[in-house]
Amino acid sequence: MKSKEWILHNLPLFLVVLICFTLVAVIRSFQIPETGRNVVVGCVLVGELGDKGWNEGHSTGLLNACQSYDCGFIVREWVAETEDAVSYAVSELVDDGANVIFLTSFGYGEYMDEIAREYPHVAFFGISGEGEAKNATTYFARLYQARYIAGIIAGAESKTGVLGYITSTPNSQANRSINAYAMGIRFSNPKARLIVRFTGSWEDEAAERESVALLAAKGADVITYHEVRPYAVEEAEKLGLMSVGYNAVYEKYSDKFLTAALYNWEVLYEKVLGDYMSGRSNFSNSYWLGFEDNAVDLYPLSPLVSERTASLAAAEKQRIINERSVFSGVIYDNTGILRCDKDEIISDHELFTGMDWFIEGVEIY
């Protein structure tokens, strides 16, 4: 009888100890591997490692982070956004010793959780997906913040009030950038229109160059893009159009190149890999860094950009840093539906996975 009373009396203590052991076990499972075991980072790319575009930005940023933390680094290039291709690339990386894997293309997110569950002792980071597996999470930069500021500049400098945007396919990542850019355009030029042409591919030089000419024929005098390489900017330069860059800038252009919305992948990878190495990774939370973290920025403005426009853009950038908000206040979509009301902010969840609409002023070619 006394034994039973003793157990009942001490049961709460036992439960606390059990919970603590469980938490420690879960946390330790994705901390830095035990001393003596090397950390090898695997990187999955949708295209060429040295493409002077999307893939080079990821590979260079991640390589620099690996060098900072003395990690191994291995890459698989030209991995299609299909389940079989991603699964095969991951299996090769794991066989080669990778215990941390970064999936760097939007289309990979659909398969990340399922693949992560197949390799429970490997940590997975992807730029899209839900990150529901216990060893997987998402990471990204809030490029839409820089897109919004770039839109302010483009809208202010446009003479026709018609601007062009070239991208692959409508998904939440692309739509978020389109909408932010359009919001910026209409902030500085309220009657402006943004015409978007989808090419159906992240890299199709002929289609992207053709799209510039087609949008110019519609009156667009400023061109931007969301593709792997800057073919659209190159074509805009040939046609004497103004342009706005994206992701990174590797070439020198004319003064008609107004600015660019840039990722700082090295900052993002230093943060994400650093958290993993120090045991601070929390796989129930995603990483989404912005202006305030120096994870996104603008390319230096062209001399063609007026001081007034530059001041307007700088003030809005500071507002975003202070308020951490672009998609707030009254926002209607291009069919007239109210998407955000006064004193409301569109949630990160909707921005990341659910933006399947376009704001007022956006037209699809």
Side-chain angles (χ1 to χ4, degrees):
M1 188 70 178
K2 288 183 179 180
S3 176
K4 184 177 180 181
E5 289 176 355
W6 186 88
I7 292 172
L8 290 174
H9 177 73
N10 289 280
L11 183 59
L13 178 62
F14 289 145
L15 290 175
V16 169
V17 172
L18 178 61
I19 290 170
C20 289
F21 274 115
T22 302
L23 287 173
V24 169
V26 171
I27 292 170
R28 282 183 59 83
S29 64
F30 294 106
Q31 288 183 339
I32 181 172
E34 295 176 3
T35 302
R37 181 185 173 198
N38 293 328
V39 174
V40 179
V41 174
C43 177
V44 183
L45 301 173
V46 73
E48 180 186 355
L49 185 151
D51 63 358
K52 292 190 175 181
W54 176 261
N55 297 289
E56 186 164 336
H58 280 281
S59 57
T60 301
L62 186 51
L63 174 60
N64 289 339
C66 287
Q67 290 173 340
S68 295
Y69 296 109
D70 197 26
C71 299
F73 181 64
I74 47 180
V75 180
R76 289 296 179 274
E77 305 172 79
W78 296 109
V79 179
E81 293 175 315
T82 65
E83 185 173 6
D84 287 346
V86 180
S87 295
Y88 184 72
V90 168
S91 69
E92 284 193 322
L93 290 171
V94 173
D95 288 345
D96 287 344
N99 39 38
V100 184
I101 293 178
F102 288 85
L103 305 175
T104 68
S105 190
F106 187 86
Y108 299 156
E110 183 178 351
Y111 319 112
M112 181 173 70
D113 284 336
E114 184 176 346
I115 293 173
R117 292 185 182 104
E118 294 179 21
Y119 302 95
H121 300 296
V122 176
F124 286 85
F125 298 90
I127 67 164
S128 66
E130 294 296 327
E132 292 178 353
K134 70 175 184 178
N135 56 327
T137 193
T138 57
Y139 70 101
F140 210 31
R142 296 180 186 269
L143 191 75
Y144 68 87
Q145 295 176 339
R147 284 281 197 187
Y148 170 73
I149 304 300
I152 291 174
I153 294 162
E157 298 306 318
S158 173
K159 304 300 186 291
T160 65
V162 180
L163 299 93
Y165 196 116
I166 298 161
T167 188
S168 171
T169 186
N171 58 39
S172 58
Q173 179 190 1
N175 296 353
R176 184 172 64 243
S177 286
I178 290 167
N179 286 341
Y181 189 66
M183 286 180 66
I185 288 170
R186 289 171 72 85
F187 180 84
S188 60
N189 191 344
K191 294 183 179 180
R193 301 154 52 210
L194 179 64
I195 305 177
V196 179
R197 187 164 197 260
F198 294 106
T199 64
S201 171
W202 291 116
E203 186 172 356
D204 184 333
E205 181 175 0
E208 292 164 42
R209 292 185 184 276
E210 177 190 37
S211 296
V212 175
L214 292 172
L215 292 170
K218 290 285 188 179
D221 64 347
V222 184
I223 300 293
T224 195
Y225 72 100
H226 185 156
E227 300 278 6
V228 167
R229 303 198 197 202
Y231 297 128
V233 170
E234 294 171 4
E235 196 64 20
E237 290 273 293
K238 288 182 181 179
L239 298 179
L241 302 173
M242 291 180 285
S243 63
V244 171
Y246 155 72
N247 178 46
V249 178
Y250 293 94
E251 306 293 339
K252 178 68 176 175
Y253 301 114
S254 74
D255 288 349
K256 289 182 177 293
F257 183 75
L258 300 177
T259 187
L262 304 179
Y263 291 107
N264 190 344
W265 290 117
E266 187 168 347
V267 167
L268 189 57
Y269 282 118
E270 285 276 353
K271 169 63 175 173
V272 177
L273 186 58
D275 279 1
Y276 174 78
M277 295 296 293
S278 64
R280 294 195 307 273
S281 289
N282 184 344
F283 285 78
S284 64
N285 292 331
S286 60
Y287 292 87
W288 209 4
L289 309 185
F291 273 142
E292 65 277 10
D293 309 293
N294 197 33
V296 298
D297 207 348
L298 286 186
Y299 190 73
L301 304 186
S302 163
L304 295 180
V305 177
S306 70
E307 290 186 12
R308 178 183 177 280
T309 299
S311 296
L312 184 66
E316 277 297 285
K317 177 182 177 181
Q318 189 58 51
R319 182 192 65 79
I320 291 170
I321 292 172
N322 293 340
E323 300 178 7
R324 302 195 177 190
S325 171
V326 169
F327 293 97
S328 59
V330 177
I331 300 175
Y332 285 90
D333 71 17
N334 59 358
T335 68
I337 295 175
L338 181 67
R339 295 290 184 167
C340 189
D341 208 344
K342 183 181 178 181
D343 299 325
E344 289 184 347
I345 298 175
I346 295 178
S347 71
D348 276 358
H349 179 74
E350 180 173 353
L351 290 180
F352 204 89
T353 62
M355 187 161 273
D356 58 359
W357 49 273
F358 301 104
I359 76 160
E360 184 180 20
V362 173
E363 303 172 17
I364 307 303
Y365 183 91

